[in-house]
């Protein structure tokens, strides 16, 4: 194979084979960086400043409504308290004191297990109705 001293200006020019060695593991620093970005974005979103959790902000379609119906009563009541408090604060153009903000580490996906189950059941029912 002959290599030319001047590079070609077209994209289909012959190129020598170059072996690239990629890292097989992600460095720990990138994991910490990703976590820092997640926390930064979580605080930037603003719902935590009025006391809401991530699952409180999910749009309520039919699947979410069914998942909410399946929540234990105390979890549902906590959710309704947070939403009503957030609406009140929003109407007053206020936020909670910083010590009452929902922290990234304390935010849990309380609705997701129920929502995943509802979606799985709906898909199973749709598959059954196709047959």
């Amino acid at each position: 194979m002959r290599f030319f001293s001047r590079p070609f200006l077209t994209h289909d020019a012959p190129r020598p084979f170059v072996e690239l060695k990629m890292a097989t593991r992600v460095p720990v620093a990138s994991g910490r960086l990703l976590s820092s970005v997640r926390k930064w974005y979580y605080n930037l979103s603003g719902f935590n400043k009025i006391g809401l959790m991530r699952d409180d902000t999910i749009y309520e379609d039919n699947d979410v409504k069914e998942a909410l119906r399946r929540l234990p009563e105390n979890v549902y009541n906590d959710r309704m308290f947070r939403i009503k408090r957030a609406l009140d604060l929003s109407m007053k153009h206020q936020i909670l004191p910083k010590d009452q903000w929902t922290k990234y580490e304390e935010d849990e996906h309380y609705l997701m297990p129920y929502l995943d189950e509802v979606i799985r059941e709906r898909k199973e029912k749709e598959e059954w109705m196709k047959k």
Side-chain angles (χ1 to χ4, degrees):
M1 181 175 200
R2 189 175 138 202
F3 295 102
F4 299 96
S5 61
R6 287 189 321 166
F8 287 94
L9 300 177
T10 62
H11 67 281
D12 53 332
R15 295 185 182 132
F17 178 77
V18 178
E19 182 179 341
L20 297 175
K21 294 186 179 184
M22 303 295 286
T24 56
R25 292 187 303 152
V26 177
V28 177
S30 69
R32 280 184 260 149
L33 177 65
L34 185 60
S35 178
S36 298
V37 170
R38 285 182 181 158
K39 288 179 184 179
W40 171 80
Y41 185 75
Y42 182 83
N43 288 322
L44 184 67
S45 63
F47 62 82
N48 65 323
K49 296 175 184 175
I50 53 176
L52 292 175
M53 293 181 155
R54 272 180 289 212
D55 287 356
D56 296 335
T57 62
I58 296 176
Y59 176 75
E60 290 188 23
D61 60 359
N62 291 332
D63 291 339
V64 174
K65 288 178 183 175
E66 177 61 26
L68 288 171
R69 192 185 66 74
R70 296 180 184 190
L71 280 176
E73 187 177 355
N74 63 333
V75 176
Y76 181 77
N77 290 338
D78 291 345
R79 172 189 165 89
M80 294 312 297
F81 171 77
R82 288 190 302 271
I83 290 173
K84 288 179 182 180
R85 179 179 59 182
L87 287 171
D88 183 51
L89 289 167
S90 179
M91 293 295 292
K92 294 177 182 176
H93 298 285
Q94 296 177 348
I95 60 173
L96 291 170
K98 191 158 184 143
D99 62 329
Q100 293 181 17
W101 290 5
T102 306
K103 294 168 186 55
Y104 177 79
E105 296 80 16
E106 296 172 356
D107 195 347
E108 58 186 42
H109 294 285
Y110 65 89
L111 188 60
M112 289 319 243
Y114 298 97
L115 185 59
D116 292 340
E117 183 180 343
V118 167
I119 292 171
R120 183 184 51 77
E121 289 174 1
R122 179 180 47 83
K123 287 181 180 179
E124 184 178 324
K125 185 176 180 182
E126 288 170 358
E127 287 296 319
W128 180 259
M129 296 303 280
K130 285 181 183 179
K131 292 181 182 180

